[in-house]
Amino acid sequence: MAVSGLLFIGFVLGHMYGNLKAFAGEESFNEYAHHLRVLGEPMLPYSGFLWIMRVGLILALIAHVASAVILARRAAKARPVKYAVKKNNGSSISSRTMRWGGVTLLVFIVWHLLNFTIVKINPSNGDTGGDNPYHLVVDTFDTWWMTVIYLLAMVALGLHLHHGTFSSLQTLGLTGSAVSRARARAAGWVVAIVVAGGFSLVPLFVLVGIIEK
Amino acid sequence: MAGSTLHDGLTPLNGPSEQKSDDARGYYTLGDKLVDPVAPTGPIKDRWTTRKFENRLVNPANRRKLDVIIVGTGLAGGAAAATLGEAGYNVKSFCYQDSPRRAHSIAAQGGINAAKNYKEDGDSTFRLFYDTVKGGDYRSRESNVYRLAEVSANIIDQCVAQGVPFAREYGGLLDNRSFGGVQVSRTFYARGQTGQQLLIGAYQAMERQVAAGTVESFTRHEMLELIVVDGKARGIIARDMVTGEIETHLADVVVLATGGYGNVFFLSTNAMGSNVTAAWRAHRKGAYMANPCYTQIHPTCIPVSGDHQSKLTLMSESLRNDGRIWVPKKKEDCEKDPRDIPEEDRDYYLERIYPSFGNLVPRDIASRQAKNMCDEGRGVGPLVGDFRRGVYLDLGDAIKRLGKDAIEEKYDNLLDMYERITGENPYEVPMRIYPAVHYVMGGLWVDYHLQSNIPGLFVSGEANFSDHGANRLGASALMQGLADGYFVLPNTIRDYLADGPFEKIDETHEAVVEARRSVEDRVQKFLSINGTRSADSYHKELGNIMWEYCGMERTEDGLRKAIDMIRELKADFWSNLKVLGSADTLNQSLEKAGRVADFIELGELMCIDALNRRESCGGHFRAESQTDDGEALRHDDEFAYVAAWEWGGDEGQPVLHKEDLIYTAIEMKQRSYK
Amino acid sequence: MNLTLKIWRQAGPNDKGGLHTYQVADISADMSFLEMLDVLNEQLNEKGEEPVAFDSDCREGICGMCSLMINGEAHGPEVTTTCQLHMRSFKDGDTITIEPWRAEPFPVVKDLIVDRSAFDRIIQSGGFISANTGSAPEANSVPAPRDKAMRAFNVATCIGCGACVAACPNGSASLFVGAKITHLGELPQGQPERWSRVVDMVGQHDHEGFGGCTNIGECAAACPKEIPLDVISQLNKDLRTALKNGH
């Protein structure tokens, strides 16, 4: 759980960096997208690097979801009779929403892939296609409800990362002292705000018309 | 040790005492004198070493054929179970709690004494021995006490090896503090939770043996009868407190490590479940009960706040180092906010009466004087009935002198606890304290081997009478429990077991059947009385009688009155008790009924013992025996003996057997704290 | 004060059980929570109803016998044990819901009493230092750094009450296990068995049916002895090291 989670943190940080290229304009953004496909050539075939990433991410996803299912099932088995009244005193909202937040993110990932990678859901009816990712982005977020979906997903992602970052460091035994624990907690905040905030910038700026075709 | 001489233990320094008074006439019959059949002789410092060598060994291959029952899992029982398990005996351990780790040894706060002399302040085995005998007001057996002091150092080694996190100095070595008015620093401690840490150490050692298969642990089991076959203890009848099943457990030897009976007073610092039943059932089967009237009353407890109170909470005596104890000079000030009482209207009575020791007088004196103040009508705090039970312990001066931070650092946990219980902030309002029953020095009579007068029945820890005389020093209870469990019992029980395995008996043996039937009958009896009062209400009433007449100060008239009252209470109990529920489920009312029934009988014996002992010694203060200025007065010529009481039957009178206390290493002296 | 109590009653391990409502009157603020229940039980006894079964022993916050989920909080609203909780934490007219610890490895025995022997079995699996009586070296022959000894003590204060399990949404006992791992692992005497200890104890923990830890932190907030969450980190670290080294 912790290891796959940390891989995802690395991935979303990189992904977010790429997205921010949108601020540098169409050319820069599309060039970055193209570069991802030719990265490693000629050692790797076209899109080879991307496919290695994809396979890695899929494996991490399987591991992550499988761990989550195991943990959730163990938890359910460990408390078959629920409390009539139960208060939460020591936990953050983020830690309590890991499971449903995770499911939300899973649904979102499917949506997101259909939208941007497989390009099945296309608000501008397909003609921008895969060869101009920049247009795809702008067309997508020009639609207000698409932006809302993405922003909601970023809230879920932020919450997930807030607890997930700390939790993975704790699970790996890297928070043995009060100082390191405080650092891990802070890292949770930083990763959550940077990633969720960074991802949200592009849709917001498209919606208000600062980023445009 | 000014004025005292070292003696080697080879010649008696006193003769047997001869009792002239006979206050308890009519309540008892006098039996034969009692002699410890295995008392060691020779130089005091060699006695234990010699005895360990003389005691026979049990072949390791035979040990697993020998069954040992140990009742109780506190320091004495847990340590014994672990050690005998390690040795390879087949141990069955019993406790009434849901886990062995809950035994009430866990609540001891202060520390554990050991003659390590790490501070190079003149401590030694002999000094610890001397302090303990003197502290016990010369009413303990010197050979036992010397052995206790001797093994004390091994206890610390053992506990450290187990991972007990004692307080340490910056260099990583063990820290010590001085405790309970002695002049050397010999007390090892783990903040205010020494008992907990030592018990967890013993518990872990025992659980390790459970995993190894040498110890079988029976939790939520209560011993309700001792099985005696052909004069030997051969097992117990226990009730599984969850299923209600009455079980028979047979063995070659039975060890009772069942703690003290302070709960006979209803309110005490003991745990809710602490009881005398195991010891009392053994007593009724023939084991002598020694010095039952010796009770230690601790001066610094949180006072009773109302009739609802279920137990009392101790605060470490160390508070008396910085707190000044006082009551208002005028009765009419007792209701006032203490902060409004001016200095000149406060009576710092301990400093007034004992100018040299002041607030640091021994426990019994501090307790008795607090009661005197309250009896005079100068007690403080809420009215409980028509009486205020409390005196002030004022940290005000210390806070002024040392600063709030220093006091906080020293007593933080303690003061938090006080505030949680009373709702008052001790940094602002003087604390209120009152004495409470804390420990009993009396217990089942044992010889030097910790064996009772019933062969095969051994008794260790607070449950026996042997080491503390009439009064126990601070930080010595933990020492005795672990000494008995780790080092003494395992070395004496083997001499008994060397004759085993004893003849096999099974559950159809007449004595076993009879024991079982008596338990079943008793359980049915409780459920069928069907009267109107709960066992708890009888317990409270008994407690009031005991506290009033057999508490800090005892008088001939009061004790006679108490005996009558207890007899009436007993008759009412057996005709008007109400126990709901059934015998075959978990039934806390039923458990309680059995315990209260035994407490009532014990209470009567305590009063008879206190009545007979017309002297003041240690925790036993007889008003008829005091000096002109109100101090305790011992009568060594009459009472330098252990009073061992034999059960005289339900209709008969208890039989008193006297064991003379002959000292060979220390001369008896009257103590003085003026 | 007058209170309404909703108390879980369950006749035995195999009964279904349910919440029953009782009224208690004239409760003093100076009473402990358990003394308030004593008052209720005395009342029930008079009425001929069986008293409510609940665990308690030392009633001074150290033995760990008392439990109770009070209004959804393990040991109630203060950071202490139920026996040290006083009625001044409540006010007149309050309704208080009282339930037993809920966890599969802590089956209900009766009413509010649960069986916590799973904790004993976890200790049996390795929560000790193997040092037979008599084999110990002189106590001061092995100095223990003071800061480590202090940390060992701070976590050794665990009373084994099970509040961590009761409060944990996952029903995990990681705080309990972590406290013991840290206590023994910080001391020089605990080193020889350090790695096997953590593997065995975690194995037993999982075997008993406790849930997995997701670092939510309810356990540390409920712990009456304020054992910090970092013992779980220590547990994870030791486990990782142990597994890496082939234990």
Side-chain angles (χ1 to χ4, degrees):
Chain A
M1 182 66 105
V3 174
S4 53
L6 285 177
L7 286 175
F8 286 129
I9 291 172
F11 167 71
V12 290
L13 280 169
H15 187 346
M16 185 203 69
Y17 169 77
N19 286 14
L20 292 178
K21 286 271 177 192
F23 284 100
E26 181 174 350
E27 205 175 316
S28 175
F29 185 82
N30 284 349
E31 193 186 313
Y32 173 79
H34 176 70
H35 181 73
L36 282 179
R37 282 161 180 79
V38 297
L39 192 73
E41 276 189 353
M43 283 281 282
L44 293 171
Y46 183 75
S47 278
F49 169 76
L50 222 49
W51 275 107
I52 291 173
M53 287 286 287
R54 283 170 184 160
V55 170
L57 286 170
I58 288 168
L59 289 176
L61 187 68
I62 291 168
H64 206 68
V65 172
S67 313
V69 169
I70 291 170
L71 277 168
R73 285 176 64 174
R74 275 183 66 188
K77 240 179 107 182
R79 179 157 303 133
V81 184
K82 305 285 177 239
Y83 290 107
V85 182
K86 174 76 168 73
K87 282 190 191 137
N88 297 304
N89 290 330
S91 54
S92 54
I93 297 173
S94 63
S95 69
R96 292 197 300 272
T97 51
M98 289 304 271
R99 267 163 214 157
W100 285 112
V103 172
T104 308
L105 287 172
L106 191 62
V107 172
F108 168 74
I109 290 167
V110 174
W111 173 262
H112 179 57
L113 291 176
L114 287 172
N115 185 183
F116 280 107
T117 309
I118 307 169
V119 205
K120 279 281 180 209
I121 300 164
N122 189 341
S124 57
N125 292 324
D127 63 326
T128 47
D131 41 352
N132 193 338
Y134 183 79
H135 281 193
L136 184 57
V137 167
V138 175
D139 286 345
T140 299
F141 296 123
D142 262 342
T143 319
W144 68 269
W145 55 269
M146 285 295 274
T147 304
V148 169
I149 288 175
Y150 272 81
L151 290 180
L152 285 176
M154 286 313 108
V155 172
L157 181 61
L159 285 169
H160 207 75
L161 288 174
H162 172 253
H163 180 69
T165 306
F166 162 75
S167 183
S168 54
L169 294 172
Q170 165 94 356
T171 298
L172 293 176
L174 302 172
T175 51
S177 66
V179 178
S180 57
R181 206 145 34 104
R183 281 194 194 129
R185 293 264 187 215
W189 281 106
V190 170
V191 171
I193 291 170
V194 166
V195 172
F199 273 128
S200 300
L201 287 177
V202 173
L204 278 173
F205 276 73
V206 170
L207 193 66
V208 299
I210 294 174
I211 296 176
E212 53 182 4
K213 277 195 239 179
Chain B
M1 226 178 289
S4 50
T5 329
L6 272 170
H7 297 279
D8 52 14
L10 294 174
T11 36
L13 301 169
N14 61 293
S17 56
E18 211 165 305
Q19 187 174 340
K20 296 183 238 15
S21 65
D22 195 10
D23 286 359
R25 66 194 165 278
Y27 289 107
Y28 77 104
T29 37
L30 188 63
D32 297 337
K33 279 223 170 178
L34 181 61
V35 177
D36 177 354
V38 291
T41 51
I44 187 120
K45 61 179 176 38
D46 298 335
R47 287 178 192 172
W48 178 232
T49 310
T50 310
R51 180 54 50 89
K52 277 193 287 184
F53 177 74
E54 288 167 351
N55 279 352
R56 291 168 297 165
L57 301 170
V58 177
N59 181 328
N62 281 340
R63 291 180 198 163
R64 81 179 81 91
K65 296 179 205 151
L66 290 160
D67 299 326
V68 181
I69 282 175
I70 302 177
V71 187
T73 59
L75 291 183
T83 306
L84 294 173
E86 287 159 9
Y89 296 102
N90 192 18
V91 178
K92 281 181 173 181
S93 154
F94 293 81
C95 66
Y96 72 79
Q97 299 92 339
D98 72 331
S99 165
R101 67 180 293 153
R102 314 239 188 259
H104 201 55
S105 305
I106 204 160
Q109 299 171 357
I112 176 167
N113 287 329
K116 280 282 197 188
N117 195 25
Y118 281 161
K119 296 279 180 183
E120 191 57 28
D121 55 3
D123 199 13
S124 63
T125 299
F126 203 93
R127 190 178 297 278
L128 176 54
F129 159 62
Y130 175 83
D131 287 348
T132 307
V133 172
K134 179 184 169 217
D137 240 353
Y138 303 94
R139 290 294 175 267
S140 50
R141 227 190 250 146
E142 64 173 8
S143 298
N144 292 53
V145 180
Y146 193 89
R147 174 178 66 192
L148 175 67
E150 194 177 338
V151 302
S152 65
N154 303 89
I155 297 172
I156 302 303
D157 298 343
Q158 182 60 33
C159 293
V160 167
Q162 286 171 347
V164 171
F166 284 120
R168 287 176 183 270
E169 295 172 337
Y170 285 99
L173 301 177
L174 294 160
D175 193 17
N176 295 123
R177 62 183 173 195
S178 104
F179 197 82
V182 296
Q183 287 155 307
V184 292
S185 287
R186 62 161 77 103
T187 305
F188 294 77
Y189 64 101
R191 214 169 296 164
Q193 281 148 260
T194 318
Q196 180 197 24
Q197 294 310 316
L198 296 175
L199 182 70
I200 297 299
Y203 156 73
Q204 287 169 186
M206 177 182 146
E207 292 296 347
R208 173 176 162 242
Q209 292 310 305
V210 172
T214 58
V215 175
E216 194 180 351
S217 170
F218 295 84
T219 59
R220 291 198 199 270
H221 274 67
E222 184 166 27
M223 167 179 164
L224 294 179
E225 195 53 276
L226 179 73
I227 297 170
V228 180
V229 176
D230 301 332
K232 287 195 181 86
R234 293 301 305 272
I236 63 169
I237 306 289
R239 179 169 179 270
D240 178 329
M241 293 156 73
V242 174
T243 64
E245 196 180 332
I246 305 294
E247 300 173 350
T248 303
H249 295 274
L250 300 169
D252 294 286
V253 68
V254 175
V255 179
L256 298 188
T258 49
Y261 48 76
N263 268 351
V264 69
F265 291 87
F266 184 71
L267 286 180
S268 79
T269 66
N270 283 7
M272 298 305 286
S274 301
N275 68 80
V276 75
T277 289
W280 194 255
R281 301 329 288 178
H283 173 62
R284 288 177 58 109
K285 278 281 168 99
Y288 297 167
M289 180 63 86
N291 302 330
C293 79
Y294 289 163
T295 313
Q296 184 169 76
I297 297 188
H298 198 288
T300 54
C301 296
I302 299 176
V304 179
S305 67
D307 291 332
H308 56 265
Q309 192 109 9
S310 61
K311 86 150 265 155
L312 296 171
T313 304
L314 180 88
M315 289 184 298
S316 169
E317 248 179 318
S318 58
L319 279 171
R320 289 201 279 147
N321 291 327
D322 288 304
R324 296 181 70 196
I325 295 172
W326 62 275
V327 290
K329 282 185 181 161
K330 293 179 277 187
K331 286 182 192 173
E332 55 271 27
D333 282 352
C334 292
E335 289 167 51
K336 278 192 189 163
D337 184 324
R339 290 169 291 187
D340 297 339
I341 302 174
E343 197 61 28
E344 63 271 19
D345 287 340
R346 299 177 175 193
D347 178 13
Y348 295 92
Y349 58 90
L350 288 177
E351 297 170 25
R352 172 170 58 81
I353 308 172
Y354 309 96
S356 59
F357 275 77
N359 295 300
L360 294 174
V361 290
R363 287 177 176 179
D364 56 320
I365 295 179
S367 299
R368 210 163 52 241
Q369 291 298 0
K371 180 175 189 289
N372 288 344
M373 297 303 130
C374 296
D375 287 351
E376 282 176 23
R378 295 197 285 147
V380 297
L383 277 173
V384 178
D386 50 1
F387 197 65
R388 292 180 202 280
R389 293 177 187 181
V391 298
Y392 290 121
L393 186 144
D394 199 337
L395 291 167
D397 280 359
I399 291 173
K400 263 184 231 148
R401 195 175 67 244
L402 306 167
K404 190 183 168 212
D405 290 350
I407 294 297
E408 198 173 303
E409 194 186 339
K410 249 174 151 171
Y411 304 114
D412 189 26
N413 288 349
L414 221 56
L415 300 184
D416 280 355
M417 180 179 75
Y418 178 83
E419 185 168 1
R420 197 157 53 229
I421 293 175
T422 63
E424 292 173 357
N425 182 345
Y427 294 104
E428 287 164 13
V429 191
M431 303 167 83
R432 288 176 292 112
I433 57 166
Y434 200 64
V437 173
H438 176 53
Y439 187 89
V440 294
M441 283 70 68
L444 290 174
W445 183 90
V446 290
D447 62 18
Y448 187 66
H449 286 182
L450 304 185
Q451 185 169 216
S452 72
N453 57 305
I454 300 177
L457 178 69
F458 288 72
V459 189
S460 63
E462 189 180 350
N464 74 31
F465 86 104
S466 76
D467 293 356
H468 304 296
N471 184 38
R472 178 180 63 75
L473 289 183
S476 283
L478 301 181
M479 171 172 70
Q480 187 219 341
L482 289 180
D484 285 0
Y486 284 135
F487 297 105
V488 179
L489 194 73
N491 276 306
T492 57
I493 210 168
R494 60 178 155 88
D495 192 60
Y496 179 78
L497 288 172
D499 287 328
F502 299 103
E503 188 193 342
K504 279 281 164 236
I505 49 170
D506 64 23
E507 298 196 8
T508 59
H509 189 284
E510 195 186 346
V512 180
V513 172
E514 168 52 32
R516 200 186 161 100
R517 191 167 49 227
S518 73
V519 168
E520 285 163 350
D521 289 352
R522 205 164 113 104
V523 166
Q524 282 316 316
K525 173 77 180 161
F526 289 134
L527 287 166
S528 62
I529 297 173
N530 216 359
T532 60
R533 287 181 61 183
S534 69
D536 231 30
S537 76
Y538 285 103
H539 194 184
K540 267 188 193 175
E541 194 175 332
L542 173 70
N544 285 336
I545 298 170
M546 295 302 292
W547 180 250
E548 197 54 43
Y549 301 108
C550 198
M552 281 176 277
E553 185 172 314
R554 296 140 181 204
T555 64
E556 185 180 345
D557 289 345
L559 289 164
R560 286 179 187 280
K561 194 171 161 192
I563 294 169
D564 290 343
M565 289 169 85
I566 293 170
R567 286 178 178 175
E568 268 172 49
L569 187 73
K570 182 175 172 182
D572 192 61
F573 176 90
W574 285 103
S575 59
N576 199 19
L577 175 73
K578 176 165 161 184
V579 178
L580 296 167
S582 67
D584 53 5
T585 59
L586 191 148
N587 187 337
Q588 292 174 320
S589 308
L590 180 62
E591 294 159 16
K592 183 88 206 216
R595 293 170 192 171
V596 174
D598 292 333
F599 275 136
I600 292 174
E601 291 180 1
L602 166 75
E604 184 182 332
L605 184 67
M606 286 172 72
C607 291
I608 294 173
D609 185 42
L611 184 58
N612 172 60
R613 190 170 286 275
R614 192 189 178 90
E615 68 160 347
S616 298
C617 60
H620 170 63
F621 187 83
R622 273 289 295 269
E624 296 88 351
S625 179
Q626 48 184 315
T627 61
D628 293 339
D629 40 12
E631 290 310 305
L633 184 64
R634 275 196 347 251
H635 294 295
D636 295 337
D637 53 333
E638 282 195 80
F639 293 103
Y641 68 78
V642 173
W645 297 89
E646 182 182 353
W647 173 247
D650 278 310
E651 306 305 323
Q653 290 177 332
V655 183
L656 172 60
H657 300 274
K658 297 178 183 176
E659 180 199 339
D660 286 313
L661 290 169
I662 307 293
Y663 288 90
T664 61
I666 293 176
E667 283 173 73
M668 289 191 273
K669 287 211 169 65
Q670 287 281 354
R671 63 177 191 165
S672 169
Y673 289 93
K674 283 269 170 171
Chain C
M1 61 182 95
N2 300 327
L3 301 164
T4 304
L5 305 174
K6 288 176 155 180
I7 301 180
W8 184 266
R9 301 298 306 260
Q10 183 174 339
N14 301 320
D15 286 283
K16 198 162 170 291
L19 286 170
H20 288 231
T21 306
Y22 303 94
Q23 307 291 333
V24 283
D26 296 330
I27 296 300
S28 138
D30 287 329
M31 281 184 192
S32 73
F33 194 83
L34 297 180
E35 284 166 355
M36 183 274 293
L37 289 180
D38 290 342
V39 170
L40 171 71
N41 276 347
E42 194 69 20
Q43 257 177 45
L44 292 176
N45 200 60
E46 269 168 34
K47 279 198 287 183
E49 278 182 59
E50 218 184 314
V52 179
F54 61 89
D55 266 332
S56 81
D57 204 26
C58 78
R59 293 209 179 180
E60 49 187 286
I62 193 75
C63 76
M65 185 104 172
C66 65
S67 54
L68 305 189
M69 206 67 175
I70 300 167
N71 281 342
E73 294 176 284
H75 292 301
E78 314 286 339
V79 181
T80 186
T81 55
T82 295
C83 64
Q84 291 284 289
L85 174 66
H86 282 70
M87 294 313 291
R88 64 182 75 90
S89 299
F90 299 88
K91 54 183 194 306
D92 189 36
D94 276 359
T95 297
I96 306 175
T97 305
I98 308 169
E99 296 174 83
W101 286 169
R102 297 258 182 237
E104 182 70 4
F106 288 170
V108 172
V109 174
K110 184 176 184 177
D111 295 342
L112 301 170
I113 296 181
V114 299
D115 176 357
R116 287 169 287 194
S117 52
F119 272 11
D120 289 333
R121 291 188 292 275
I122 291 177
I123 296 296
Q124 283 159 24
S125 71
F128 49 74
I129 291 172
S130 300
N132 281 3
T133 304
S135 63
E138 152 58 42
N140 259 348
S141 60
V142 187
R146 191 165 180 268
D147 53 340
K148 283 176 170 280
M150 295 262 278
R151 183 170 188 229
F153 171 80
N154 285 336
V155 300
T157 55
C158 168
I159 56 176
C161 65
C164 46
V165 175
C168 175
N170 294 314
S172 172
S174 290
L175 196 73
F176 171 79
V177 179
K180 189 50 62 193
I181 291 297
T182 308
H183 161 206
L184 299 177
E186 285 288 5
L187 296 170
Q189 291 81 8
Q191 298 314 307
E193 292 163 294
R194 183 168 180 179
W195 312 117
S196 58
R197 178 184 307 125
V198 66
V199 173
D200 293 343
M201 286 182 78
V202 170
Q204 187 67 32
H205 168 275
D206 294 354
H207 176 73
E208 294 288 346
F210 290 105
C213 176
T214 57
N215 306 310
I216 289 175
E218 285 293 337
C219 53
C223 176
K225 296 294 151 184
E226 301 177 73
I227 308 261
L229 207 55
D230 63 38
V231 300
I232 298 181
S233 182
Q234 186 74 55
L235 170 75
N236 291 329
K237 188 176 180 182
D238 280 16
L239 184 63
R240 196 186 58 196
T241 311
L243 294 175
K244 204 167 67 189
N245 296 336
H247 282 278

